[in-house]
Amino acid sequence: VGPGNWPVLYPKHAAPNDPSLDRKGGRTTSNPWPSSDWIAFASERGFAATFVLVLALLMMTVQTLRRLRYAADVETGLLCAALLATLASAAVAGVFDAVLLLALPTLLIWATIGAIWMPDPKGAGALTEGTRGTIATALLVICGVGVVRSTAQVISMSFYAPRKPAQMRWASRIDPGSYRTHLQLARSAPTRASRCSHARAAHTLFPSATAPRSLGRGCPKT
């Protein structure tokens, strides 16, 4: 369904009595992601990306098992055991909960793996220094875009004040992808045209939610 689209599309297929749906929110999901890393990866990143991730984890597991078997000292054996425990706990916990979907556990898990994992010496030097620099630069740019996006959302949240329409309009301009802001403005905007506009925007973001359809009843289709 594409990254971030689980809460948009899941309500369309959910059973009427599905306990993961928020009735107060007008048939929206209680969480913005499924309570399973692997379901989320498959549904939002696709089977190909999920398969590549599984292959990477399996590769690290096999190489670490080999190193554990032929460990030359206790310290190397303990590091291998710690890495295997980290990989196993992330994989198992991810079946039942969102682990790698959340920032803090993702940082802890991948930082631990990166600090402990010892790559196969045969594959060392496969990437040139220039290639590694290009990859690092691309990652920094992507992270920078994410920081800008997250900062805009935080600023929008600081403007969020249901009883102050002017602030709410600013919040909507700063973060036009906020369903909650559009829904509130669909209820409280000073003009009917504005209320209809925000009701349509909320419906576009979450087409299966009942609240925007109810608030937009009687509004022009365009």
Side-chain angles (χ1 to χ4, degrees):
V1 299
N5 280 324
W6 173 270
V8 177
L9 297 180
Y10 178 73
K12 180 180 179 181
H13 305 281
N17 59 345
D18 191 317
S20 69
L21 295 182
D22 181 12
R23 297 295 183 274
K24 295 181 181 179
R27 197 171 168 77
T28 56
T29 58
S30 298
N31 293 319
W33 46 71
S35 294
S36 168
D37 279 339
W38 302 109
I39 295 297
F41 288 142
S43 64
E44 294 198 325
R45 276 72 175 177
F47 290 110
T50 304
F51 181 66
V52 170
L53 176 61
V54 171
L55 280 182
L57 296 177
L58 286 175
M59 177 194 69
M60 286 188 285
T61 300
V62 170
Q63 289 187 3
T64 305
L65 284 171
R66 187 182 300 122
R67 278 195 168 78
L68 179 61
R69 182 179 179 184
Y70 298 106
D73 50 57
V74 174
E75 182 179 355
T76 301
L78 288 175
L79 287 174
C80 291
L83 179 53
L84 289 172
T86 302
L87 291 169
S89 60
V92 174
V95 174
F96 304 102
D97 203 355
V99 180
L100 296 178
L101 297 174
L102 303 178
L104 181 57
T106 297
L107 174 63
L108 293 175
I109 289 171
W110 287 114
T112 301
I113 293 173
I116 298 177
W117 181 50
M118 294 171 285
D120 191 339
K122 296 179 181 179
L127 295 178
T128 64
E129 184 176 349
T131 301
R132 289 197 296 270
T134 301
I135 293 173
T137 301
L139 287 174
L140 285 174
V141 171
I142 293 171
C143 290
V145 172
V147 168
V148 172
R149 168 66 174 159
S150 297
T151 301
Q153 290 178 312
V154 171
I155 294 173
S156 175
M157 289 169 62
S158 70
F159 277 93
Y160 189 92
R163 296 183 181 181
K164 298 180 179 180
Q167 286 192 207
M168 291 297 294
R169 287 195 293 273
W170 271 109
S172 178
R173 292 191 188 103
I174 296 170
D175 183 15
S178 173
Y179 169 77
R180 184 177 68 163
T181 302
H182 284 301
L183 197 63
Q184 182 59 40
L185 284 169
R187 294 188 178 109
S188 61
T191 65
R192 183 173 183 273
S194 181
R195 291 195 296 273
C196 287
S197 174
H198 288 290
R200 285 193 294 269
H203 176 70
T204 300
L205 290 169
F206 287 92
S208 297
T210 57
R213 288 202 300 268
S214 176
L215 291 169
R217 191 172 293 119
C219 291
K221 297 297 182 182
T222 56

